């Protein structure tokens, strides 16, 4: 379905929500289009490229509508490799602590692509955007999410300071192909370094305003509620709104529960820094976190995409528990346990990943 490989773990057919297995995700520095995860809150719109319009409104001197060919002809195009990570990635690890409604995402609600389009800042500047520091840029889309209260079109916002940063793009190409419909084609915004939810697909409206979006997905979803909050009585604005992605890493291959042969074993995964930082180090432990060895990091430090890592070990017959943890360039390290992060919506599990193997 939707051009995805057959071995996707499909959480929902309609709307389509699916993630690749770790062994598929580990294959490329850039994730193949048939492997990239899909996260949809409503039915997927079908907008022909020539009918697509983007309307820029709000605190700008000249509000304007743009066609795709306007974007192509009026602005310089830029390419960027960036990782998207859903705030619900690794929710399964939080559900193991205490039950949570919502898709039990494993390790695969994150992927990396090469995106191509124009800078959002160039488009906003062409509209004469007002530049007060405290403004917000709202993105709107036509897909309707029934899970929202009340049901509404998808939308969210980012601070204007982020919207004016060079890395934020309006894109119509993904891995040198036209942006697939399931990933927001004809045009989506990509907000590198922020949770995936802010990279609004099928974007049709941009509004510059003096407050964050009033959309359900900004005010209510994607908030870290305290562990004792009740999802049914929580009110809009409760909890901590998410913006930047958190420092995270994962073990992608071998996968948890795998049986492997004794002898040389290469453990592979990725690490992603948050908040525009870099990855400084990834440590791997084979004894539950007492002794650690340093993994080898792939070349290519960027705050906007993951860094893949690997470690060759000699696997001895018996049970083997692998634990990993990443450090960023400010010496921050991932928190140890999922229990210390548990929250009612099940967001941002960036605890140390573990994989329990049987070595024969
Ligand atoms: N219009 C719209 N944009 C959206 C969504 C959506 O449901 N509708 N889902 C968001 C979420 S939660 C994530 S994690 C990313 C997923 O992007 P992908 O499906 O291309 O992987 O898109 C974001 N943009
Ligand atoms: Mo997401």
């Amino acid at each position: 379905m939707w051009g995805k490989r057959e071995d996707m773990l499909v959480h929902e057919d309609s709307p389509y929500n699916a993630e690749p297995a770790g062994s598929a995700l580990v294959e490329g520095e850039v994730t193949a289009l048939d492997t990239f995860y899909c996260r949809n809150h409503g039915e997927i719109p079908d907008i022909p490229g020539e009918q697509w319009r983007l309307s820029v409104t709000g605190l700008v001197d000249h509000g304007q509508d743009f066609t795709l060919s306007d974007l192509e002809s009026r602005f310089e195009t830029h390419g960027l490799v960036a990782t998207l990570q859903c705030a619900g990635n690794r929710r399964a690890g939080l559900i193991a602590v205490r039950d949570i409604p919502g898709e039990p995402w494993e390790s695969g609600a994150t992927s990396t692509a090469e995106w191509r389009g124009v800078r959002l800042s160039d488009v906003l500047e062409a509209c004469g955007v007002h530049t007060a520091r405290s403004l917000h840029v709202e993105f709107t889309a036509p897909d309707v999410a029934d899970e929202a209260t009340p049901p509404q079109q998808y939308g969210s916002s980012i601070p204007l300071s982020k919207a004016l940063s060079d890395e934020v793009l309006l894109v119509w190409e993904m891995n040198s192909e036209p942006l697939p419909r399931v990933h927001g084609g004809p045009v989506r915004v990509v907000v590198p370094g922020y949770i995936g939810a802010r990279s609004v697909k099928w974007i049709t409206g941009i509004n510059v305003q003096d407050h964050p979006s009033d959309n359900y997905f900004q005010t209510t979803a994607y908030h870290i509620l305290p562990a004792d909050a009740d999802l049914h009585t929580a009110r809009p604005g409760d909890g901590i709104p998410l913006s930047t992605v958190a420092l995270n890493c994962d073990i992608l291959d071998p996968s948890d529960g795998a049986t492997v042969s004794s002898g040389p074993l290469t453990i592979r995964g990725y690490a992603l820094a948050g908040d525009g930082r870099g990855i400084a180090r990834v440590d791997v432990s084979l004894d539950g976190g007492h002794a650690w060895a340093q993994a080898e990091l792939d070349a290519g430090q960027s705050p906007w995409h993951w860094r893949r890592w690997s470690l060759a070990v000699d696997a001895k017959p018996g049970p083997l528990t692998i634990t990993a943890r990443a450090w960023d360039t400010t010496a921050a390290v991932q928190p140890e346990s999922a229990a210390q992060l548990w929250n009612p919506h099940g967001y941002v599990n960036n605890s140390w990943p573990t994989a329990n193997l049987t070595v024969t």
Side-chain angles (χ1 to χ4, degrees):
M1 201 190 262
W2 296 105
K4 295 292 163 181
R5 51 199 286 165
E6 301 235 306
D7 58 355
M8 294 293 275
L9 169 56
V10 178
H11 294 290
E12 220 179 331
D13 283 321
S14 178
Y16 185 67
N17 280 291
E19 64 179 304
S23 57
L25 202 52
V26 85
E27 283 169 8
E29 162 90 63
V30 162
T31 312
L33 289 185
D34 69 352
T35 307
F36 202 103
Y37 82 101
C38 292
R39 174 71 181 108
N40 295 300
H41 295 85
E43 292 311 322
I44 293 162
D46 187 3
I47 311 168
E50 59 289 357
Q51 278 172 28
W52 178 83
R53 294 288 180 282
L54 174 67
S55 167
V56 181
T57 55
L59 299 171
V60 293
D61 288 336
H62 354 271
Q64 282 170 67
D65 284 357
F66 296 90
T67 62
L68 185 47
S69 50
D70 289 337
L71 294 187
E72 284 167 334
S73 61
R74 288 183 52 187
F75 305 102
E76 197 184 325
T77 59
H78 297 269
L80 182 74
V81 176
T83 299
L84 289 191
Q85 185 153 116
C86 183
N89 187 44
R90 304 184 58 207
R91 180 179 286 134
L94 297 174
I95 290 174
V97 175
R98 180 143 62 96
D99 200 25
I100 298 169
E103 290 79 9
W105 296 99
E106 304 271 352
S107 298
T110 185
S111 300
T112 301
E114 188 188 358
W115 311 93
R116 181 164 281 278
V118 295
R119 288 188 177 140
L120 176 59
S121 62
D122 287 345
V123 174
L124 289 173
E125 275 156 20
C127 295
V129 64
H130 300 186
T131 52
R133 283 199 136 263
S134 57
L135 299 183
H136 296 262
V137 178
E138 178 181 61
F139 307 128
T140 55
D143 55 317
V144 177
D146 288 329
E147 75 183 62
T149 331
Q152 59 197 272
Q153 289 170 241
Y154 191 86
S156 76
S157 64
I158 61 173
L160 178 64
S161 53
K162 178 69 178 181
L164 294 179
S165 305
D166 285 352
E167 70 275 10
V168 180
L169 301 179
L170 289 165
V171 307
W172 56 86
E173 258 183 49
M174 186 176 179
N175 298 354
S176 305
E177 299 283 337
L179 181 65
R181 193 177 142 203
V182 75
H183 290 297
V187 180
R188 80 181 298 171
V189 64
V190 171
V191 185
Y194 272 42
I195 59 166
R198 306 298 175 234
S199 291
V200 173
K201 304 193 271 191
W202 316 287
I203 184 169
T204 50
I206 294 180
N207 191 55
V208 182
Q209 54 192 49
D210 64 4
H211 58 280
S213 171
D214 292 323
N215 190 281
Y216 170 86
F217 293 98
Q218 188 75 33
T219 63
T220 307
Y222 302 110
H223 282 227
I224 300 280
L225 293 171
D228 62 353
D230 178 348
L231 275 185
H232 304 289
T233 55
R235 292 202 316 240
D238 285 358
I240 308 163
L242 290 169
S243 55
T244 51
V245 287
L247 170 65
N248 211 338
C249 85
D250 216 341
I251 301 164
L252 297 179
D253 186 53
S255 60
D256 186 35
T259 299
V260 300
S261 311
S262 60
L265 172 71
T266 302
I267 304 164
R268 296 184 295 164
Y270 79 85
L272 180 67
D275 216 8
R277 295 172 182 168
I279 291 296
R281 207 171 80 208
V282 172
D283 299 332
V284 177
S285 172
L286 303 182
D287 65 0
H290 297 281
W292 298 88
Q294 283 181 56
E296 206 161 304
L297 287 171
D298 277 8
Q301 178 79 279
S302 158
W304 313 127
H305 66 71
W306 62 20
R307 253 178 120 178
R308 297 187 312 150
W309 57 263
S310 61
L311 182 71
V313 300
D314 184 28
K316 304 263 185 310
L320 175 63
T321 297
I322 306 167
T323 308
R325 65 179 186 200
W327 299 74
D328 74 16
T329 46
T330 69
V333 65
Q334 291 175 248
E336 179 171 348
S337 77
Q340 87 196 65
L341 302 167
W342 191 95
N343 62 94
H345 284 295
Y347 294 136
V348 197
N349 180 7
N350 70 333
S351 60
W352 299 355
T354 57
N356 290 298
L357 311 186
T358 305
V359 183
T360 57

